Amino acid sequence: MHRRLFDDDTAIKILSIILAVLMWLYVMNEQNPQVTYIIKDVPVKLVNLDEEKLVLKDESAEFKVNVKVRGRRSLVSDLKSDDISAEMNMKGRIEGENLIRVDVVVPPNIELIDVYPREILVTLEAVIEEERPVTVEVTGTTAQGFAARPAQVSPQYVTVKGPRSAVEAVNKVVVYIDVSGKDKPIIGNFPFKVLDKNGKEQKRITFTPQTVEVTVPIVPVANTQIIPNIKGNPPEGYIIRDVRIDPPSIIVTGSEEELANVQSITTEPINIQDRTSTTTFDVDLIFPNGITSFDEDVRTAKVTVEIEKLSETTLNLNSDNVTIEGIASGLSASVEQTQLILTVSGPNSIIDKVNENMVKLKIDLTGLTAGEHTVRVQGDISRPYRIIKIEPSDIHVVISEISQ
């Protein structure tokens, strides 16, 4: 009797459990069914990328996939992209294009159906390092009477590291030093800029060291004329038409006291004895003790001596063109009216350009008293012309006392 009752109770319990399970399955299928859902724009992480050797060519690149899943509505309805893990394994990848599978992991009780795209093209670039020279660009204007010599930098090279394209785009590594108003050397450690050919700073670049030591010597200077030292003369019938020198002046340096005493810099002697044609000479400059060229590369000058054959012509001037000099106080003078014929020589190529406006005629009456006198006419003419003869060479002058 008891055994039968136990069997009946057990059967009832089992039946109840079965009914409860069936009821739960019914409720789950009707109220919380299996659904398919797509989560868009799930970010893909790059893992195992050795950034000491490789980096993304496009640092702003973002990788995303769409993930299709299946699960109970209650589980997938609130599913977000952050709840899903999407990764690409970068181990063993190479520089250039790499087609890489996306590995996706979904939360428990969620079935992964599909991933799109399943593979993504990733372009990698090698990280390289190169040595680049450091240049110094001086800006501004020093104090008056001073100038900046070429800067010295240490170390002369820095190591630039980064993606290949960024390193290869480096056009220069430069330190800017402002010397405005300076009259003393500038010495210190300064940062530098890494620039491309457009003058823009390169990004994604690291460099070693971070600063360089720069010395900018600032010294006293003076701009001094160069005087060519011409020796000898052309033969008879030839003339020096012109002397040109390049450069015409030079910037020199030394102590301020020594510079104050420098009037000009001369060249080594230039011998033109018996030369009959234009000649150019490269000659050394002679610097006084304690004085040197500011630009150490400039220690010579180019001197061109133009030599031409002489020609002659004549000019007719009236005695009214004669200037009276040296007449004593209380006296006046009148010059005899006459024509003066000047024989003028000059370079053959320009002898036809000479004219009376280039000539100055004068007489000197110093020490002469009232009365009639014969005085020599003196003439001067612009270079490279020369007065050979004045006819008549003397002129009649009447000196009178000025009536009171």
Side-chain angles (χ1 to χ4, degrees):
M1 182 69 178
H2 289 291
R3 181 178 180 85
R4 186 177 179 181
L5 179 62
F6 174 79
D7 289 343
D8 289 343
D9 289 343
T10 301
I12 293 171
K13 290 179 180 179
I14 293 172
L15 181 61
S16 297
I17 291 171
I18 292 172
L19 290 174
V21 169
L22 291 175
M23 182 65 69
W24 179 84
L25 290 173
Y26 171 79
V27 172
M28 289 297 293
N29 285 323
E30 292 296 323
Q31 304 300 320
N32 189 25
Q34 293 273 350
V35 294
T36 300
Y37 190 67
I38 296 176
I39 299 91
K40 295 183 178 181
D41 297 330
V42 176
V44 180
K45 298 178 183 178
L46 306 185
V47 296
N48 297 324
L49 178 62
D50 186 352
E51 295 186 350
E52 287 296 311
K53 296 180 179 179
L54 292 169
V55 293
L56 287 174
K57 186 168 185 177
D58 180 5
E59 65 175 339
S60 64
E62 294 181 352
F63 305 103
K64 295 180 180 181
V65 292
N66 296 330
V67 177
K68 187 176 183 180
V69 297
R70 180 189 299 277
R72 294 294 176 184
R73 178 183 293 148
S74 61
L75 295 177
V76 301
S77 60
D78 294 328
L79 204 59
K80 306 183 189 63
S81 60
D82 293 343
D83 299 325
I84 297 176
S85 171
E87 296 179 345
M88 288 188 289
N89 187 358
M90 307 304 292
K91 186 175 182 179
R93 306 307 175 181
I94 61 173
E95 183 176 18
E97 294 182 342
N98 297 263
L99 190 61
I100 305 173
R101 177 183 175 84
V102 181
D103 296 320
V104 175
V105 177
V106 297
N109 300 320
I110 300 292
E111 179 186 0
L112 175 63
I113 303 299
D114 196 9
V115 178
Y116 181 80
R118 172 58 70 179
E119 295 178 318
I120 295 177
L121 189 65
V122 180
T123 304
L124 299 177
E125 193 169 23
V127 175
I128 64 172
E129 59 180 40
E130 294 182 356
E131 284 193 337
R132 293 301 175 91
V134 182
T135 60
V136 178
E137 292 189 12
V138 173
T139 62
T141 303
T142 57
Q144 187 173 2
F146 291 83
R149 280 189 178 277
Q152 301 156 10
V153 60
S154 178
Q156 296 181 337
Y157 289 82
V158 297
T159 300
V160 178
K161 183 178 181 180
R164 184 186 301 278
S165 60
V167 172
E168 291 178 348
V170 173
N171 184 54
K172 65 178 178 180
V173 178
V174 60
V175 182
Y176 294 103
I177 303 294
D178 185 5
V179 299
S180 297
K182 303 295 184 182
D183 60 2
K184 297 288 187 299
I186 297 174
I187 302 173
N189 288 305
F190 297 90
F192 49 84
K193 294 182 181 294
V194 180
L195 307 177
D196 64 14
K197 64 180 180 179
N198 296 317
K200 294 182 179 179
E201 285 197 67
Q202 279 296 86
K203 305 299 184 183
R204 308 175 73 189
I205 289 287
T206 60
F207 33 81
T208 307
Q210 300 296 310
T211 62
V212 291
E213 183 177 329
V214 178
T215 300
V216 182
I218 296 179
V219 296
V221 294
N223 192 7
T224 306
Q225 182 182 11
I226 299 175
I227 304 297
N229 184 8
I230 307 295
K231 299 292 185 181
N233 292 289
E236 187 72 25
Y238 289 83
I239 188 174
I240 297 175
R241 175 182 171 181
D242 191 18
V243 177
R244 299 191 305 275
I245 186 165
D246 181 29
S249 62
I250 184 173
I251 298 176
V252 295
T253 184
S255 69
E256 293 181 75
E257 294 76 17
E258 290 166 331
L259 289 175
N261 295 324
V262 176
Q263 303 302 316
S264 61
I265 300 295
T266 60
T267 68
E268 293 284 353
I270 301 168
N271 186 7
I272 63 163
Q273 186 65 32
D274 295 330
R275 289 187 178 269
T276 59
S277 61
T278 297
T279 307
T280 298
F281 304 84
D282 287 312
V283 290
D284 292 332
L285 302 177
I286 300 176
F287 296 93
N289 289 334
I291 299 296
T292 60
S293 172
F294 174 72
D295 185 343
E296 295 177 353
D297 293 331
V298 180
R299 302 190 64 84
T300 63
K302 192 180 295 292
V303 178
T304 300
V305 182
E306 288 190 13
I307 300 175
E308 282 194 23
K309 191 172 183 179
L310 279 173
S311 291
E312 293 185 358
T313 189
T314 58
L315 295 174
N316 294 322
L317 283 81
N318 191 282
S319 56
D320 290 341
N321 297 108
V322 177
T323 300
I324 298 172
E325 295 182 356
I327 190 168
S329 178
L331 299 176
S332 65
S334 60
V335 179
E336 175 189 14
Q337 288 294 315
T338 187
Q339 284 291 113
L340 299 169
I341 300 174
L342 280 63
T343 301
V344 177
S345 69
N348 181 65
S349 62
I350 57 171
I351 192 64
D352 60 340
K353 301 255 191 307
V354 69
N355 60 72
E356 61 219 30
N357 295 325
M358 299 178 180
V359 178
K360 292 181 180 179
L361 297 178
K362 69 178 181 178
I363 54 175
D364 187 0
L365 304 185
T366 301
L368 299 182
T369 59
E372 295 184 11
H373 303 273
T374 300
V375 183
R376 181 166 294 278
V377 180
Q378 302 173 42
D380 191 20
I381 191 169
S382 304
R383 287 177 56 86
Y385 302 104
R386 185 170 58 185
I387 298 174
I388 304 299
K389 184 168 55 175
I390 301 175
E391 296 178 301
S393 59
D394 298 324
I395 196 168
H396 186 70
V397 179
V398 177
I399 299 176
S400 304
E401 293 183 359
I402 300 172
S403 57
Q404 299 296 323

Short mmCIF file of all heavy atoms in Angstrom, two decimals, residues 177 186-190 212-216:
data_model
loop_
_atom_site.label_atom_id
_atom_site.label_comp_id
_atom_site.label_asym_id
_atom_site.label_seq_id
_atom_site.Cartn_x
_atom_site.Cartn_y
_atom_site.Cartn_z
N ILE A 177 68.04 80.71 -35.24
CA ILE A 177 68.67 81.55 -34.21
C ILE A 177 68.45 83.01 -34.57
O ILE A 177 68.80 83.46 -35.66
CB ILE A 177 70.19 81.28 -34.11
CG1 ILE A 177 70.45 79.79 -33.82
CG2 ILE A 177 70.81 82.16 -33.03
CD1 ILE A 177 69.98 79.33 -32.47
N ILE A 186 76.52 83.97 -29.52
CA ILE A 186 75.37 83.24 -28.97
C ILE A 186 75.77 81.78 -28.84
O ILE A 186 76.19 81.15 -29.81
CB ILE A 186 74.14 83.37 -29.88
CG1 ILE A 186 73.70 84.84 -29.97
CG2 ILE A 186 73.00 82.50 -29.37
CD1 ILE A 186 72.58 85.07 -30.96
N ILE A 187 75.67 81.24 -27.63
CA ILE A 187 76.03 79.85 -27.36
C ILE A 187 74.94 79.22 -26.51
O ILE A 187 74.50 79.80 -25.51
CB ILE A 187 77.38 79.74 -26.62
CG1 ILE A 187 78.50 80.42 -27.44
CG2 ILE A 187 77.74 78.29 -26.36
CD1 ILE A 187 79.82 80.49 -26.70
N GLY A 188 74.47 78.04 -26.90
CA GLY A 188 73.45 77.37 -26.09
C GLY A 188 72.91 76.13 -26.76
O GLY A 188 73.27 75.80 -27.90
N ASN A 189 72.03 75.42 -26.03
CA ASN A 189 71.35 74.25 -26.57
C ASN A 189 69.98 74.67 -27.08
O ASN A 189 69.21 75.33 -26.35
CB ASN A 189 71.20 73.17 -25.49
CG ASN A 189 72.53 72.51 -25.17
OD1 ASN A 189 73.20 72.01 -26.06
ND2 ASN A 189 72.92 72.52 -23.90
N PHE A 190 69.67 74.30 -28.30
CA PHE A 190 68.44 74.75 -28.93
C PHE A 190 67.69 73.58 -29.56
O PHE A 190 68.31 72.63 -30.07
CB PHE A 190 68.76 75.77 -30.03
CG PHE A 190 69.41 77.03 -29.52
CD1 PHE A 190 70.79 77.12 -29.44
CD2 PHE A 190 68.65 78.12 -29.13
CE1 PHE A 190 71.41 78.27 -28.97
CE2 PHE A 190 69.25 79.27 -28.67
CZ PHE A 190 70.63 79.36 -28.58
N VAL A 212 70.38 70.46 -29.90
CA VAL A 212 71.78 70.50 -30.34
C VAL A 212 72.43 71.77 -29.79
O VAL A 212 71.76 72.76 -29.50
CB VAL A 212 71.89 70.49 -31.88
CG1 VAL A 212 71.49 69.16 -32.45
CG2 VAL A 212 71.06 71.61 -32.50
N GLU A 213 73.75 71.71 -29.64
CA GLU A 213 74.49 72.87 -29.15
C GLU A 213 74.90 73.73 -30.34
O GLU A 213 75.49 73.24 -31.30
CB GLU A 213 75.73 72.44 -28.38
CG GLU A 213 76.50 73.62 -27.78
CD GLU A 213 77.70 73.18 -26.97
OE1 GLU A 213 77.63 72.07 -26.38
OE2 GLU A 213 78.69 73.92 -26.92
N VAL A 214 74.56 75.01 -30.27
CA VAL A 214 74.83 75.93 -31.38
C VAL A 214 75.68 77.09 -30.88
O VAL A 214 75.42 77.65 -29.81
CB VAL A 214 73.52 76.47 -31.99
CG1 VAL A 214 73.82 77.47 -33.11
CG2 VAL A 214 72.66 75.33 -32.52
N THR A 215 76.70 77.43 -31.67
CA THR A 215 77.52 78.61 -31.40
C THR A 215 77.46 79.52 -32.63
O THR A 215 77.76 79.09 -33.74
CB THR A 215 78.98 78.24 -31.12
OG1 THR A 215 79.04 77.39 -29.98
CG2 THR A 215 79.82 79.49 -30.86
N VAL A 216 77.03 80.76 -32.42
CA VAL A 216 77.00 81.75 -33.50
C VAL A 216 77.98 82.86 -33.14
O VAL A 216 77.67 83.73 -32.30
CB VAL A 216 75.59 82.33 -33.72
CG1 VAL A 216 75.60 83.32 -34.88
CG2 VAL A 216 74.58 81.22 -33.97
#
